[in-house]
Amino acid sequence: MMRSFLKFSAFMLMRPSEVYELEWADIDTDAMRLRKARRVYRGHVDEPKTGPKTIALTAPARDAIIGLPRDGRLVFRSKMGKRLSASTMQRYWDLVLAKAELDFDLYHATKHYGVHYMWTKLGLSNRAIAAQAGWSLKTVDKMLAVYGHGDVGALEEVDAAFANNVTPILKVAGGEQS
């Protein structure tokens, strides 16, 4: 369940509070869309921070939930079958962090990974990432600077681009140089 939650959250760019209140009825696997309509805020169900939106159901996120039981309204539930909460998820997350010997919060782990992957690995446009994450186009550059980690792997990308290329001849005034 935790693995499914993490994978789903990362590849949907959703806040944990939005995933806690996600219902099976919000997911349309045929159209590959998801209606982000609710979140848990201070223990109460409220609208998502960026308002209700329809976003793309990504294939990795769909695959993360495909085997989950559909015997209740909510997609993700605690071991006792209840709605997840920040405190419940923190207990689960603490176990993950201890096992992996890491120290960062759940939201940043999923959001940073998902944005970085979509931006640098898939090459999605700023516009597409903004739509999926619920960001405005005015703030997308700032948000990508925070969440995208565009510098991670950048040098390896340069290495790969030149790995199989023959060095071009540079023509300069007065002759050629190689």
Side-chain angles (χ1 to χ4, degrees), residues 4 39-40 43 94 107 122 124 127 135 154:
S4 294
R39 70 173 170 155
V40 178
D94 286 343
Y107 175 66
L122 297 180
L124 292 182
R127 176 180 67 93
W135 300 335

Side-chain angles (χ1 to χ4, degrees), residues 18-158:
E18 296 165 345
V19 180
Y20 301 156
E21 190 56 30
L22 181 65
E23 299 179 4
W24 287 108
D26 296 325
I27 301 170
D28 183 344
T29 54
D30 292 333
M32 292 299 284
R33 294 293 180 261
L34 179 144
R35 185 173 42 109
K36 188 169 66 165
R38 294 165 304 286
R39 70 173 170 155
V40 178
Y41 181 69
R42 296 185 180 185
H44 301 285
V45 177
D46 195 7
E47 280 193 352
K49 183 177 178 181
T50 57
K53 295 192 177 358
T54 297
I55 60 176
L57 175 62
T58 66
R62 180 207 52 214
D63 295 347
I65 62 171
I66 211 136
L68 294 180
R70 294 180 182 232
D71 56 354
R73 173 181 68 85
L74 298 173
V75 176
F76 296 97
R77 294 173 289 170
S78 71
K79 289 180 183 179
M80 302 300 292
K82 307 274 187 213
R83 180 180 69 206
L84 293 172
S85 65
S87 59
T88 301
M89 283 305 293
Q90 189 59 53
R91 286 193 297 275
Y92 292 143
W93 186 240
D94 286 343
L95 295 172
V96 171
L97 292 177
K99 183 81 171 172
E101 298 179 358
L102 296 172
D103 183 27
F104 45 84
D105 68 49
L106 173 66
Y107 175 66
H108 288 112
T110 58
K111 189 72 147 212
H112 285 246
Y113 176 82
V115 171
H116 174 76
Y117 184 82
M118 290 181 187
W119 191 38
T120 65
K121 303 293 185 204
L122 297 180
L124 292 182
S125 69
N126 292 10
R127 176 180 67 93
I129 294 169
Q132 186 72 8
W135 300 335
S136 74
L137 287 175
K138 287 190 259 181
T139 63
V140 71
D141 289 332
K142 177 181 163 191
M143 299 305 275
L144 284 172
V146 171
Y147 292 103
H149 301 281
D151 58 328
V152 175
L155 296 179
E156 290 79 2
E157 185 179 336
V158 172

